[in-house]
Amino acid sequence: MKKFVLLALASTALSLPAFADGPVVPQFVEETASAGFDHTFAGEWEFVVGGGTAIFDCSGDGLPEIFVAGGTNASALFLNESSETLALRKADASGLEIDMVSGAYPLDIDADGITDLAVLRVGQSRLMKGQGDCKFTDASADWGFQAHDLWNTAFAATWEHGADWPTLAFGSYIDRTQEDFPWGNCTENLLYRGTGGKFAAPAELKPSFCTLSMLFTDWNRSGTPALRVSNDREYYKGGQEQLWHVEPGAEPVLYTEAEGWKKLKIWGMGIASRDVDGDSYPEYFLTSMADNKLQFLATPGPDAKPQYSDQAFKRGVTAHQPYTGDDKRPSTAWHAQFGDVNNDGWADLFVVKGNVWEMPDFAQEDPNNLLLGQEDGTFVESGDKAGVASMLEGRGGALVDLNGDGLQDMVVVNRNGPSQLWRNAGVAGNWVAIKPQMQGANRDAVNAWVEVRTGDRVQRQEVLIGGGQAGGILVPLHFGLGDATTAEARVIWPDGTEGDWVPVTLGQVNLVEAP
């Protein structure tokens, strides 16, 4: 039996709303200035993309810190000292004050129980080793990480079966030496495999099509994650979205049309994943320019082919133009993330928006989306009612509980403008958070599935490192439960072992340890 440990960060007695009457719109309060969140992702053409944030707990107090890319400014780590309201303190000499950073992703590379950071740069990316107490050192050389001088824009990580060291995928954009004619000059994506504490020389993932998001995900529940890659058609010639077989001991191979993969050309910016409809298979929201996709497996099942139907229009998440204001030109979407901001038990969708760079055919006043999920599987736009319809030039972002009250707060990184922070102050239902943990390699159980059951209904989330727009989070998985007062949970571990269903304590983080 798997071991459950309760981490009592918060337990709030809630006055529950009537969820059957439609989604409750949470109220967000901007606390950017009062929280001390003073940072700008800046830059010209080399930083029209990127602007990610990595969110993880490096202090050990259960409240996650915020690392923010800086572009031509130095990147920064903000220590979390929140209570009821949000409070941050910019770290001094953390080791993460790095120039030319486009984004970052947290993961425990060396399995020492301290989170490390993969830092994406315009130039050579770095692997920063966590030393404890929110201090970091560059371990790239010690770990044999051979970084190429690229415009690094995407990242994903997994642990292949039997591996004692992670597999890392780095995506890159255009050749910076070809500024006058960038179209068709996409640079290489790289796959790093390692063993025994060292990474081997990287393999190129050819062809590469100006990648802006990557994700290792078990799309067909086979137990072996594939690598999904989203590419920006603004710059490639003859490209498309990609899905790679990544089998242990074998060279990566693209899925083909003969296997069911259909060619899709979009301005691919970000990937968000969630089992939206409860069929146990993940759906994917792909951000783009006026052409966002919400993909469902056409025929779910053990013999599924990678054929997807787009249900964005059917479910109300096209998000193809501004929903408020006078600018009705097409939208430009970047970071996307599923969450549950009102804890009603139905997945919501957060999308960061912003014009690329004064592109005249696209909206300049382009508010972020907060699409609230409903029981019938559709979504309702609520960004303006919730108070998060920022018109700044958004890029990266996150939904995450920053102050431990069980409500997911919001972080947005804007280009050439101040980053923003909103506290979720709305009424909400019950909740539970699950933190799976393994011994040895892959301590955070990346690519495990966490399931929470209330009555006859099961919610599922895959533990992922990747996706989004140049940034990700590594925190306990948050589940809203609506008016349910009891719940059970189990973990399906990366090797396929199914844990037992065990009662969990609501309003707290439950640590689940593998045997």
Side-chain angles (χ1 to χ4, degrees), residues 34 48 53 80 99 102 120 129 227 237 264 278 305 324 326 331 404 407 411 418 420 427 489 506:
S34 61
V48 295
T53 179
N80 191 349
D99 67 348
S102 58
L120 308 182
K129 176 177 170 56
L227 178 62
K237 289 182 177 179
L264 176 64
K305 294 183 177 181
T324 186
D326 298 326
S331 280
L407 300 171
V411 181
Q420 293 174 285
V427 65
L506 307 193

PDB file of all heavy atoms in Angstrom, residues 34 48 53 80 99 102 120 129 227 237 264 278 305 324 326 331 404 407 411 418 420 427 489 506:
ATOM      1  N   SER A  34       1.702  45.746  -4.177  1.00  0.00           N
ATOM      2  CA  SER A  34       1.695  45.517  -2.731  1.00  0.00           C
ATOM      3  C   SER A  34       2.471  44.263  -2.347  1.00  0.00           C
ATOM      4  O   SER A  34       3.018  44.179  -1.250  1.00  0.00           O
ATOM      5  CB  SER A  34       0.255  45.419  -2.218  1.00  0.00           C
ATOM      6  OG  SER A  34      -0.429  44.341  -2.831  1.00  0.00           O
ATOM      7  N   VAL A  48      10.875  38.534 -28.643  1.00  0.00           N
ATOM      8  CA  VAL A  48       9.452  38.600 -28.993  1.00  0.00           C
ATOM      9  C   VAL A  48       8.733  37.343 -28.517  1.00  0.00           C
ATOM     10  O   VAL A  48       7.520  37.329 -28.332  1.00  0.00           O
ATOM     11  CB  VAL A  48       9.241  38.780 -30.509  1.00  0.00           C
ATOM     12  CG1 VAL A  48       9.775  40.119 -30.972  1.00  0.00           C
ATOM     13  CG2 VAL A  48       9.860  37.645 -31.309  1.00  0.00           C
ATOM     14  N   THR A  53       7.887  31.793 -16.731  1.00  0.00           N
ATOM     15  CA  THR A  53       8.082  31.788 -15.288  1.00  0.00           C
ATOM     16  C   THR A  53       8.111  30.346 -14.797  1.00  0.00           C
ATOM     17  O   THR A  53       7.352  29.501 -15.282  1.00  0.00           O
ATOM     18  CB  THR A  53       6.978  32.576 -14.562  1.00  0.00           C
ATOM     19  OG1 THR A  53       7.193  32.525 -13.143  1.00  0.00           O
ATOM     20  CG2 THR A  53       5.601  32.043 -14.880  1.00  0.00           C
ATOM     21  N   ASN A  80       8.773  33.581  -1.559  1.00  0.00           N
ATOM     22  CA  ASN A  80       7.363  33.707  -1.208  1.00  0.00           C
ATOM     23  C   ASN A  80       7.208  33.811   0.308  1.00  0.00           C
ATOM     24  O   ASN A  80       7.508  32.871   1.043  1.00  0.00           O
ATOM     25  CB  ASN A  80       6.602  32.493  -1.739  1.00  0.00           C
ATOM     26  CG  ASN A  80       5.102  32.663  -1.652  1.00  0.00           C
ATOM     27  OD1 ASN A  80       4.589  33.575  -1.024  1.00  0.00           O
ATOM     28  ND2 ASN A  80       4.379  31.763  -2.302  1.00  0.00           N
ATOM     29  N   ASP A  99      21.672  36.648 -17.418  1.00  0.00           N
ATOM     30  CA  ASP A  99      21.239  37.479 -18.532  1.00  0.00           C
ATOM     31  C   ASP A  99      20.710  36.632 -19.691  1.00  0.00           C
ATOM     32  O   ASP A  99      20.938  35.429 -19.764  1.00  0.00           O
ATOM     33  CB  ASP A  99      22.377  38.383 -19.002  1.00  0.00           C
ATOM     34  CG  ASP A  99      23.528  37.603 -19.633  1.00  0.00           C
ATOM     35  OD1 ASP A  99      23.562  36.359 -19.504  1.00  0.00           O
ATOM     36  OD2 ASP A  99      24.401  38.235 -20.245  1.00  0.00           O
ATOM     37  N   SER A 102      15.161  33.408 -21.516  1.00  0.00           N
ATOM     38  CA  SER A 102      13.819  33.418 -22.103  1.00  0.00           C
ATOM     39  C   SER A 102      12.815  32.627 -21.293  1.00  0.00           C
ATOM     40  O   SER A 102      11.597  32.850 -21.414  1.00  0.00           O
ATOM     41  CB  SER A 102      13.865  32.868 -23.537  1.00  0.00           C
ATOM     42  OG  SER A 102      14.388  31.554 -23.551  1.00  0.00           O
ATOM     43  N   LEU A 120      16.410  28.396 -19.937  1.00  0.00           N
ATOM     44  CA  LEU A 120      16.495  28.620 -21.382  1.00  0.00           C
ATOM     45  C   LEU A 120      17.052  30.013 -21.638  1.00  0.00           C
ATOM     46  O   LEU A 120      16.612  30.989 -21.038  1.00  0.00           O
ATOM     47  CB  LEU A 120      15.110  28.509 -22.021  1.00  0.00           C
ATOM     48  CG  LEU A 120      14.290  27.248 -21.725  1.00  0.00           C
ATOM     49  CD1 LEU A 120      12.969  27.302 -22.477  1.00  0.00           C
ATOM     50  CD2 LEU A 120      15.057  25.997 -22.079  1.00  0.00           C
ATOM     51  N   LYS A 129      21.851  23.732 -10.524  1.00  0.00           N
ATOM     52  CA  LYS A 129      21.642  22.779  -9.443  1.00  0.00           C
ATOM     53  C   LYS A 129      21.184  23.486  -8.174  1.00  0.00           C
ATOM     54  O   LYS A 129      21.817  24.452  -7.718  1.00  0.00           O
ATOM     55  CB  LYS A 129      22.932  22.008  -9.153  1.00  0.00           C
ATOM     56  CG  LYS A 129      22.839  21.062  -7.962  1.00  0.00           C
ATOM     57  CD  LYS A 129      24.111  20.274  -7.772  1.00  0.00           C
ATOM     58  CE  LYS A 129      24.109  19.504  -6.444  1.00  0.00           C
ATOM     59  NZ  LYS A 129      22.950  18.606  -6.303  1.00  0.00           N
ATOM     60  N   LEU A 227       6.835  12.613 -27.312  1.00  0.00           N
ATOM     61  CA  LEU A 227       7.207  14.025 -27.253  1.00  0.00           C
ATOM     62  C   LEU A 227       6.362  14.805 -28.251  1.00  0.00           C
ATOM     63  O   LEU A 227       6.497  14.621 -29.470  1.00  0.00           O
ATOM     64  CB  LEU A 227       8.687  14.211 -27.559  1.00  0.00           C
ATOM     65  CG  LEU A 227       9.192  15.655 -27.568  1.00  0.00           C
ATOM     66  CD1 LEU A 227       9.028  16.293 -26.190  1.00  0.00           C
ATOM     67  CD2 LEU A 227      10.645  15.729 -28.034  1.00  0.00           C
ATOM     68  N   LYS A 237       9.192  26.630 -43.222  1.00  0.00           N
ATOM     69  CA  LYS A 237       8.707  26.290 -44.554  1.00  0.00           C
ATOM     70  C   LYS A 237       8.467  24.786 -44.603  1.00  0.00           C
ATOM     71  O   LYS A 237       9.355  24.002 -44.298  1.00  0.00           O
ATOM     72  CB  LYS A 237       9.723  26.686 -45.627  1.00  0.00           C
ATOM     73  CG  LYS A 237       9.861  28.184 -45.848  1.00  0.00           C
ATOM     74  CD  LYS A 237      10.855  28.468 -46.976  1.00  0.00           C
ATOM     75  CE  LYS A 237      10.951  29.961 -47.265  1.00  0.00           C
ATOM     76  NZ  LYS A 237      11.937  30.249 -48.341  1.00  0.00           N
ATOM     77  N   LEU A 264      -0.890  19.276 -39.353  1.00  0.00           N
ATOM     78  CA  LEU A 264      -1.526  20.458 -38.788  1.00  0.00           C
ATOM     79  C   LEU A 264      -0.517  21.590 -38.795  1.00  0.00           C
ATOM     80  O   LEU A 264       0.589  21.447 -38.256  1.00  0.00           O
ATOM     81  CB  LEU A 264      -2.014  20.191 -37.357  1.00  0.00           C
ATOM     82  CG  LEU A 264      -2.617  21.393 -36.610  1.00  0.00           C
ATOM     83  CD1 LEU A 264      -3.884  21.887 -37.301  1.00  0.00           C
ATOM     84  CD2 LEU A 264      -2.905  21.033 -35.145  1.00  0.00           C
ATOM     85  N   GLY A 278     -13.000  13.349 -18.820  1.00  0.00           N
ATOM     86  CA  GLY A 278     -13.071  12.228 -17.900  1.00  0.00           C
ATOM     87  C   GLY A 278     -12.991  10.867 -18.546  1.00  0.00           C
ATOM     88  O   GLY A 278     -13.351   9.862 -17.912  1.00  0.00           O
ATOM     89  N   LYS A 305      -5.214   5.685 -32.288  1.00  0.00           N
ATOM     90  CA  LYS A 305      -4.258   6.309 -33.184  1.00  0.00           C
ATOM     91  C   LYS A 305      -4.191   7.799 -32.842  1.00  0.00           C
ATOM     92  O   LYS A 305      -5.162   8.352 -32.314  1.00  0.00           O
ATOM     93  CB  LYS A 305      -4.671   6.119 -34.636  1.00  0.00           C
ATOM     94  CG  LYS A 305      -4.640   4.667 -35.099  1.00  0.00           C
ATOM     95  CD  LYS A 305      -4.990   4.559 -36.569  1.00  0.00           C
ATOM     96  CE  LYS A 305      -4.881   3.115 -37.037  1.00  0.00           C
ATOM     97  NZ  LYS A 305      -5.204   2.985 -38.480  1.00  0.00           N
ATOM     98  N   THR A 324     -13.507  41.716 -24.825  1.00  0.00           N
ATOM     99  CA  THR A 324     -13.891  42.995 -24.246  1.00  0.00           C
ATOM    100  C   THR A 324     -13.024  44.083 -24.871  1.00  0.00           C
ATOM    101  O   THR A 324     -11.946  43.804 -25.400  1.00  0.00           O
ATOM    102  CB  THR A 324     -13.726  42.990 -22.709  1.00  0.00           C
ATOM    103  OG1 THR A 324     -14.245  44.212 -22.160  1.00  0.00           O
ATOM    104  CG2 THR A 324     -12.274  42.847 -22.296  1.00  0.00           C
ATOM    105  N   ASP A 326     -12.613  47.554 -27.607  1.00  0.00           N
ATOM    106  CA  ASP A 326     -13.025  47.919 -28.963  1.00  0.00           C
ATOM    107  C   ASP A 326     -12.207  47.250 -30.058  1.00  0.00           C
ATOM    108  O   ASP A 326     -12.557  47.346 -31.237  1.00  0.00           O
ATOM    109  CB  ASP A 326     -12.928  49.447 -29.131  1.00  0.00           C
ATOM    110  CG  ASP A 326     -13.847  50.191 -28.175  1.00  0.00           C
ATOM    111  OD1 ASP A 326     -14.935  49.658 -27.891  1.00  0.00           O
ATOM    112  OD2 ASP A 326     -13.466  51.285 -27.714  1.00  0.00           O
ATOM    113  N   SER A 331      -6.820  37.588 -32.063  1.00  0.00           N
ATOM    114  CA  SER A 331      -5.977  37.519 -30.880  1.00  0.00           C
ATOM    115  C   SER A 331      -4.692  36.749 -31.145  1.00  0.00           C
ATOM    116  O   SER A 331      -4.592  35.973 -32.111  1.00  0.00           O
ATOM    117  CB  SER A 331      -6.722  36.827 -29.733  1.00  0.00           C
ATOM    118  OG  SER A 331      -7.614  37.689 -29.090  1.00  0.00           O
ATOM    119  N   GLY A 404      -1.289  29.245  -0.024  1.00  0.00           N
ATOM    120  CA  GLY A 404      -1.719  28.060   0.704  1.00  0.00           C
ATOM    121  C   GLY A 404      -3.146  28.082   1.188  1.00  0.00           C
ATOM    122  O   GLY A 404      -3.492  27.330   2.107  1.00  0.00           O
ATOM    123  N   LEU A 407      -6.816  28.304  -3.063  1.00  0.00           N
ATOM    124  CA  LEU A 407      -7.309  29.023  -4.231  1.00  0.00           C
ATOM    125  C   LEU A 407      -6.144  29.308  -5.168  1.00  0.00           C
ATOM    126  O   LEU A 407      -5.104  29.808  -4.738  1.00  0.00           O
ATOM    127  CB  LEU A 407      -7.973  30.338  -3.819  1.00  0.00           C
ATOM    128  CG  LEU A 407      -9.168  30.233  -2.877  1.00  0.00           C
ATOM    129  CD1 LEU A 407      -9.577  31.617  -2.373  1.00  0.00           C
ATOM    130  CD2 LEU A 407     -10.343  29.572  -3.580  1.00  0.00           C
ATOM    131  N   VAL A 411      -0.215  34.404 -12.136  1.00  0.00           N
ATOM    132  CA  VAL A 411       0.998  35.131 -12.474  1.00  0.00           C
ATOM    133  C   VAL A 411       1.012  35.331 -13.982  1.00  0.00           C
ATOM    134  O   VAL A 411       0.710  34.397 -14.733  1.00  0.00           O
ATOM    135  CB  VAL A 411       2.263  34.360 -12.048  1.00  0.00           C
ATOM    136  CG1 VAL A 411       3.527  35.149 -12.379  1.00  0.00           C
ATOM    137  CG2 VAL A 411       2.217  34.006 -10.570  1.00  0.00           C
ATOM    138  N   PRO A 418       5.473  45.583 -16.961  1.00  0.00           N
ATOM    139  CA  PRO A 418       5.597  44.931 -15.660  1.00  0.00           C
ATOM    140  C   PRO A 418       4.903  43.576 -15.615  1.00  0.00           C
ATOM    141  O   PRO A 418       3.798  43.417 -16.150  1.00  0.00           O
ATOM    142  CB  PRO A 418       4.938  45.925 -14.702  1.00  0.00           C
ATOM    143  CG  PRO A 418       3.991  46.708 -15.564  1.00  0.00           C
ATOM    144  CD  PRO A 418       4.668  46.823 -16.900  1.00  0.00           C
ATOM    145  N   GLN A 420       2.752  40.745 -13.698  1.00  0.00           N
ATOM    146  CA  GLN A 420       1.571  40.993 -12.870  1.00  0.00           C
ATOM    147  C   GLN A 420       1.241  39.791 -11.993  1.00  0.00           C
ATOM    148  O   GLN A 420       1.569  38.643 -12.333  1.00  0.00           O
ATOM    149  CB  GLN A 420       0.371  41.337 -13.755  1.00  0.00           C
ATOM    150  CG  GLN A 420       0.504  42.665 -14.480  1.00  0.00           C
ATOM    151  CD  GLN A 420      -0.633  42.912 -15.446  1.00  0.00           C
ATOM    152  OE1 GLN A 420      -0.687  42.314 -16.519  1.00  0.00           O
ATOM    153  NE2 GLN A 420      -1.554  43.788 -15.065  1.00  0.00           N
ATOM    154  N   VAL A 427     -15.075  33.178  -3.610  1.00  0.00           N
ATOM    155  CA  VAL A 427     -15.631  32.035  -2.898  1.00  0.00           C
ATOM    156  C   VAL A 427     -15.400  30.792  -3.731  1.00  0.00           C
ATOM    157  O   VAL A 427     -15.383  30.830  -4.961  1.00  0.00           O
ATOM    158  CB  VAL A 427     -17.135  32.242  -2.628  1.00  0.00           C
ATOM    159  CG1 VAL A 427     -17.922  32.292  -3.931  1.00  0.00           C
ATOM    160  CG2 VAL A 427     -17.690  31.158  -1.703  1.00  0.00           C
ATOM    161  N   ALA A 489      -8.011   9.073  -3.356  1.00  0.00           N
ATOM    162  CA  ALA A 489      -7.010   9.325  -4.386  1.00  0.00           C
ATOM    163  C   ALA A 489      -6.138   8.099  -4.577  1.00  0.00           C
ATOM    164  O   ALA A 489      -6.007   7.253  -3.681  1.00  0.00           O
ATOM    165  CB  ALA A 489      -6.145  10.528  -4.021  1.00  0.00           C
ATOM    166  N   LEU A 506      -9.283  16.636   2.968  1.00  0.00           N
ATOM    167  CA  LEU A 506      -9.535  17.808   2.148  1.00  0.00           C
ATOM    168  C   LEU A 506      -8.925  19.049   2.783  1.00  0.00           C
ATOM    169  O   LEU A 506      -8.670  19.100   3.989  1.00  0.00           O
ATOM    170  CB  LEU A 506     -11.041  18.011   1.960  1.00  0.00           C
ATOM    171  CG  LEU A 506     -11.853  16.822   1.445  1.00  0.00           C
ATOM    172  CD1 LEU A 506     -13.243  17.279   1.018  1.00  0.00           C
ATOM    173  CD2 LEU A 506     -11.151  16.095   0.321  1.00  0.00           C
TER     174      LEU A 506
END
